[in-house]
Amino acid sequence: MPHSSPSRVALGLATATCLVMGGGAVAPSNAADASFTTRTVTDGKTTYTEVTNPDDGAVLSYVPGGAVKLLEVKTSSATLAFKDMNANNELDAWEDWRKSPEERAKSLAPELSMEQIAGLMLFSSHERDAAAGITDAQRKYLGEDHLRNVLNAAPNDVTANVTWVNQLQAYAESQAQADTPYIPVNFSSDPRSTAANDSAYNAAGDDISRWPSNIGLAATFSRKTMLDFAKTSSAEYRAMGITTALGPQIDLATEPRWLRVDGTFGENTQLASTMAKAYVDGSQNTYDSYGHATGWGKDSINTMIKHFPGDGAGEGGRESHRNSGKYAVYPGDNFDEHLAPFKAASKATSMMSSYSIAIAKDGSSLTGNRVGSAYDKTKIDIARDAGYDGVICTDWGVTTGYTDPNSKYGMAWGMEDASVEERHYAVLRSGLDMFGGNNDKLPVLAAHALWQKDFEAGKNPISADARFRQSGERILRMIFAPGLFENPYLDLAHSKSVVASQDKVERGIAAQLDSIVMLKNKDKTIKKSPLAKWRNKTVYIPSSIGHGFPSVFNQDTPDRVGPTLDVEVAKKYFKTVLTDTPLYDADGRIVDYRQPDLSKADLVLAGMRSPDNGDNFTGAGMADDGSFYPLSLQWKPYLANGKHVRKDSIAGDIRPDGSRENRSYYGATSRIGNEYDLTAVTNAAKAIRKVEKRTGRQIPLVVAVKAKTSFIPAEFEKKADAILVGYSVNDRALIETALGQHNPSGRLPIASPKDMDAVEAQLEDVGEDMTPYRDSQGNLYTFGFGLNWKGVIKR
């Protein structure tokens, strides 16, 4: 935004006149050479006034006739408009859009009540139904609790999002009065742009461009692609009213079994750091026609890098959302390396702490604090002592314990015996600013009282008010930076022109294609080919059965059945698409398939999902009886009895008698939901061999692995003529690559192991330390490996 100097140093009543602006174009009184103009905008539910200042000044928006009025300021060359947001008829420093976010936040924080700041410290639970419009619960937390940070988890429906956002912004504006300065709503979102909707977080709905997952973007090894994604997604987010991305997730994926590998940028520190920085730079900047960053602009959004100080070292790959995985272990003494991506991306306006408790290789607490990261001041001090003064927010659910009454889940690891109020206080003492997933100000105000009591007893260095204003100032910067105080409302027509525009959709598809990794290409099975080659051909796509896992949110998990690649997409390229006939049991469930006759098949395309152990919310790795079982990177059942399987876990709960719980899974067997994917490929290979023996016809088998993490190729590699890996890309990208329409350029962002013994031998906190698989062509599937039509891609 411009920072032109006003005609006078002091901007008070002498140069500011309060104007009550209505609808339509309005010329301010005594206009100078250039003046602001206004227009009325409506989305059908909310009507607001948009003000355009001259000389590229800030665009303002507000509801006419409401709490916010306009101030007119005359400079030597123009008449400018500002918003009076505290009803004092003066242009305060925090209302001056020419000043920096830092200056404005410092000016506003002292004006806020402790209740308002407590509300700022709240980051709402997931809001999943924008189409329902504003609800009473939302009015309650915006009005009574002063909450201003809302997590939008609704589908990608532009109209629903725009109208809902405008309704909440208008309600927040209506709450402003002289003793309660106006604060707009900062909407945030988890990822919503991933092409294959197979993530626990990715939002549904087609109204957005679609890209690979984070690890797929890493597979491009292209900073340019990462920047393009960040710039594109931030523009689409802004058009839906989202001004903060709850990401990127920049944990190092040093443990290949970890259930959140797909959200990371892989196991290599340099690659992850490069991608993390590019994501932040692309999101928090506007770029000129030469590609130069020019600072915050209308398409910029905040980023919240996560999960500090890295959560990718869960013992055995178990995930810290549940009790099963609350411990991160460091058998390689490699804690510091996990900080590298956070240092690279330190310009992010905010960061989110991890859930896990850090445990050293001898089983002791790594930091001296046997608590989760939000309660671990030693961890948070690493960021603060390095000079990070942005917002630090807890991950969601940290102030709830899984043993609390009526609690489905909770991640107050190490603080289960504390009260909710004590947990809030402990988070503040650790140096954090915000509480993820909390809508109620009362526990925050209770923490204020606890802080003040200890301050008066000499236990805290500053007063509770000073501590709250410290966090309030940081949070306000996040709201000032994207210009929300000036222009919080959305023009529906403009938003529809931005989100999922043709250019953005095409760039997303191009990135999907560039992310696909070709691991095997025997005898150049995949090569450049015209589509006409396939128009009279027959393809066979096997079907599979995948079993879901009950989670804290969904106990009823229907099977995932049907063809392993999209048949309707395949029909666009082939004359005939063959697939299997389902066989049902007495209850109507598909239990197996009957293959078609492959005598006339020209190609077999088989999709496989990487081995499915469950997701963040299923408690994968821990059985209902409290025993543990292994997470696995192979499809067949894995019995964990090899020489590298720990018989005694590194981490475990400390019992009342001082002994440590053993979380070993030695002797237990994995639980994979999609073992049938391997069965489908094996059955296809057998059918091909039968045709070849009978007719002499060669039918190539191309396997497309839809990967969310690493996997072991040994179970199927020799059967396949070609292997492609797609990280949450759509089936069109995989099929077109298999048909020679795009020369693969992706490379592995995380190695594929030789076997499960190699997985057990590697250390959870160390990347690139796993023996890779060597295929029948002699290639090692190590980090950075990939093929194109000519052969191995040079690094």
Side-chain angles (χ1 to χ4, degrees):
M1 292 183 181
H3 287 74
S4 56
S5 299
S7 58
R8 305 183 189 180
V9 176
L11 288 172
L13 289 175
T15 56
T17 304
C18 183
L19 299 176
V20 180
M21 305 297 293
V26 177
S29 60
N30 302 317
D33 293 341
S35 301
F36 61 87
T37 60
T38 70
R39 72 183 184 108
T40 299
V41 184
T42 184
D43 62 20
K45 295 183 178 180
T46 302
T47 299
Y48 65 92
T49 296
E50 181 184 274
V51 182
T52 301
N53 275 295
D55 301 327
D56 295 323
V59 174
L60 316 180
S61 58
Y62 69 103
V63 174
V68 172
K69 305 295 189 293
L70 282 191
L71 294 170
E72 174 187 320
V73 172
K74 298 176 183 178
T75 72
S76 59
S77 61
T79 300
L80 306 178
F82 298 82
K83 290 162 72 171
D84 181 15
M85 296 178 273
N86 60 356
N88 68 352
N89 294 336
E90 296 183 20
L91 181 61
D92 300 298
W94 65 272
E95 295 170 326
D96 188 345
W97 43 259
R98 295 166 296 187
K99 295 184 180 294
S100 70
E102 291 76 17
E103 291 175 284
R104 299 178 72 185
K106 188 176 290 294
S107 169
L108 177 56
E111 287 196 26
L112 302 182
S113 68
M114 287 302 106
E115 287 204 354
Q116 272 193 288
I117 293 179
L120 279 178
M121 289 177 169
L122 302 173
F123 221 128
S124 86
S125 54
H126 295 67
E127 294 289 3
R128 303 184 187 277
D129 190 5
I134 189 169
T135 65
D136 288 341
Q138 291 158 7
R139 291 186 182 91
K140 191 266 181 188
Y141 67 52
L142 290 174
E144 295 180 24
D145 294 291
H146 303 285
L147 184 151
R148 288 298 182 271
N149 299 279
V150 174
L151 173 48
N152 180 354
N156 294 308
D157 180 323
V158 175
T159 299
N161 278 280
V162 166
T163 53
W164 178 63
V165 163
N166 283 346
Q167 284 181 302
L168 266 67
Q169 293 289 14
Y171 190 79
E173 184 178 320
S174 73
Q175 301 303 297
Q177 47 190 309
D179 61 351
T180 309
Y182 165 65
I183 301 175
V185 182
N186 169 34
F187 289 90
S188 70
S189 178
D190 281 313
R192 54 178 56 239
S193 305
T194 307
N197 198 22
D198 57 0
S199 167
Y201 294 101
N202 195 49
D206 295 329
D207 285 3
I208 202 163
S209 63
R210 292 292 185 174
W211 299 68
S213 61
N214 274 2
I215 199 167
L217 289 165
T220 68
F221 282 72
S222 169
R223 178 180 179 275
K224 180 180 178 182
T225 300
M226 185 74 253
L227 270 174
D228 189 26
F229 167 72
K231 291 187 286 186
T232 301
S233 63
S234 63
E236 292 183 309
Y237 276 27
R238 284 303 295 265
M240 288 194 290
I242 297 164
T243 44
T244 298
L246 298 184
Q249 184 191 337
I250 60 177
D251 314 87
L252 284 179
T254 52
E255 168 48 61
R257 292 165 290 187
W258 189 37
L259 298 175
R260 299 194 70 175
V261 165
D262 63 321
T264 75
F265 296 126
E267 65 179 325
N268 178 269
T269 304
Q270 182 177 349
L271 177 62
S273 298
T274 297
M275 292 299 192
K277 185 178 186 302
Y279 190 116
V280 171
D281 289 348
S283 299
Q284 295 186 177
N285 275 294
T286 297
Y287 288 78
D288 62 22
S289 58
Y290 299 100
H292 299 138
T294 59
W296 288 88
K298 62 182 179 61
D299 291 335
S300 303
I301 61 172
N302 297 290
T303 54
M304 185 177 283
I305 52 177
K306 60 185 185 183
H307 307 85
F308 186 82
D311 210 24
E315 186 164 18
R318 297 189 293 263
E319 220 296 303
S320 57
H321 274 80
R322 302 296 305 278
N323 179 39
S324 56
K326 63 185 174 185
Y327 294 107
V329 295
Y330 297 88
D333 294 323
N334 203 37
F335 175 88
D336 287 348
E337 188 167 358
H338 289 254
L339 299 173
F342 293 91
K343 293 177 181 177
S346 61
K347 290 185 179 179
T349 52
S350 58
M351 68 168 63
M352 185 187 298
S353 62
S354 66
Y355 285 130
S356 57
I357 301 170
I359 302 295
K361 62 183 177 183
D362 65 357
S364 65
S365 168
L366 188 71
T367 63
N369 308 305
R370 207 176 181 87
V371 291
S373 297
Y375 300 105
D376 193 338
K377 189 175 187 299
T378 302
K379 285 184 180 179
I380 303 305
D381 279 350
I382 294 170
R384 295 301 190 201
D385 290 347
Y388 186 76
D389 194 38
V391 169
I392 304 182
C393 182
T394 75
D395 206 335
W396 268 234
V398 159
T399 57
T400 301
Y402 76 105
T403 57
D404 288 0
N406 303 315
S407 174
K408 289 184 178 180
Y409 71 102
M411 285 70 78
W413 306 134
M415 295 290 288
E416 288 87 355
D417 294 336
S419 69
V420 172
E421 293 78 11
E422 289 169 337
R423 292 170 190 161
H424 282 74
Y425 178 39
V427 166
L428 292 177
R429 283 180 59 89
S430 293
L432 286 82
D433 305 292
M434 300 187 74
F435 303 93
N438 294 15
N439 294 4
D440 185 356
K441 71 181 179 185
L442 293 180
V444 185
L445 292 172
H448 180 280
L450 291 171
W451 184 289
Q452 185 63 20
K453 180 180 178 181
D454 279 355
F455 168 71
E456 293 171 359
K459 297 179 182 179
N460 285 329
I462 59 176
S463 70
D465 280 14
R467 174 64 183 86
F468 266 49
R469 295 200 193 283
Q470 185 181 62
S471 286
E473 185 176 327
R474 290 171 179 152
I475 298 163
L476 286 170
R477 288 183 215 140
M478 287 179 64
I479 305 177
F480 278 117
L484 276 171
F485 277 87
E486 278 62 62
N487 190 19
Y489 296 97
L490 302 171
D491 181 330
L492 180 57
H494 173 72
S495 294
K496 286 184 173 181
S497 72
V498 171
V499 184
S501 61
Q502 188 62 33
D503 61 316
K504 297 183 181 69
V505 170
E506 289 175 356
R507 292 202 301 274
I509 292 171
Q512 291 182 54
L513 291 166
D514 288 344
S515 72
I516 293 174
V517 181
M518 185 160 66
L519 291 180
K520 183 179 181 181
N521 194 23
K522 181 182 177 183
D523 299 329
K524 295 188 176 180
T525 297
I526 297 176
K527 55 184 177 292
K528 186 175 182 179
S529 303
L531 278 180
K533 171 183 174 181
W534 306 101
R535 285 178 185 149
N536 291 316
K537 303 290 186 180
T538 296
V539 66
Y540 165 55
I541 298 176
S543 292
S544 186
I545 302 168
H547 304 298
F549 297 89
S551 75
V552 294
F553 300 118
N554 185 11
Q555 293 297 307
D556 182 19
T557 54
D559 290 345
R560 187 172 180 169
V561 297
T564 55
L565 290 166
D566 192 319
V567 169
E568 295 306 312
V569 171
K571 287 179 179 178
K572 297 176 182 178
Y573 306 99
F574 297 93
K575 180 179 180 181
T576 304
V577 179
L578 302 174
T579 190
D580 300 317
T581 301
L583 303 176
Y584 299 87
D585 66 10
D587 295 322
R589 294 182 61 190
I590 296 175
V591 293
D592 206 349
Y593 293 97
R594 183 173 63 249
Q595 284 182 312
D597 180 5
L598 300 190
S599 297
K600 295 182 180 180
D602 299 291
L603 177 68
V604 175
L605 290 178
M608 299 179 76
R609 290 184 293 134
S610 51
D612 181 10
N613 291 275
D615 66 26
N616 309 350
F617 302 101
T618 61
M622 186 178 188
D624 291 340
D625 63 2
S627 63
F628 292 83
Y629 63 87
L631 305 187
S632 177
L633 298 183
Q634 67 182 39
W635 285 265
K636 288 181 180 178
Y638 162 60
L639 176 62
N641 61 358
K643 64 180 179 178
H644 290 111
V645 180
R646 294 184 190 122
K647 293 184 179 179
D648 294 297
S649 63
I650 293 175
D653 294 346
I654 303 300
R655 299 188 179 98
D657 63 2
S659 64
R660 190 174 74 226
E661 170 197 28
N662 185 8
R663 294 186 160 215
S664 170
Y665 49 76
Y666 185 85
T669 302
S670 63
R671 304 179 182 184
I672 300 298
N674 61 326
E675 180 185 349
Y676 200 101
D677 283 9
L678 179 62
T679 300
V681 170
T682 301
N683 288 344
K686 289 178 180 178
I688 288 170
R689 286 197 298 271
K690 288 179 181 179
V691 172
E692 289 175 348
K693 286 182 180 179
R694 188 172 70 249
T695 68
R697 292 182 64 245
Q698 300 292 311
I699 306 175
L701 170 58
V702 177
V703 175
V705 181
K706 303 177 181 183
K708 294 181 68 177
T709 182
S710 183
F711 59 91
I712 295 172
E715 295 175 297
F716 69 90
E717 178 268 320
K718 291 181 181 179
K719 301 178 178 71
D721 296 288
I723 300 173
L724 299 174
V725 182
Y727 297 98
S728 295
V729 302
N730 62 31
D731 285 4
R732 170 190 164 184
L734 288 168
I735 292 171
E736 287 191 358
T737 302
L739 301 187
Q741 302 307 298
H742 186 81
N743 193 6
S745 59
R747 295 186 282 140
L748 286 176
I750 184 169
S752 282
K754 176 183 177 182
D755 50 29
M756 280 304 298
D757 187 62
V759 175
E760 299 289 5
Q762 60 87 40
L763 303 177
E764 284 94 337
D765 60 325
V766 179
E768 299 181 75
D769 66 335
M770 185 167 58
T771 303
Y773 178 74
R774 185 182 294 276
D775 73 7
S776 57
Q777 306 295 294
N779 290 316
L780 280 174
Y781 293 177
T782 189
F783 168 81
F785 172 75
L787 301 172
N788 58 24
W789 291 334
K790 292 183 178 180
V792 177
I793 299 171
K794 294 181 180 180
R795 299 193 185 190

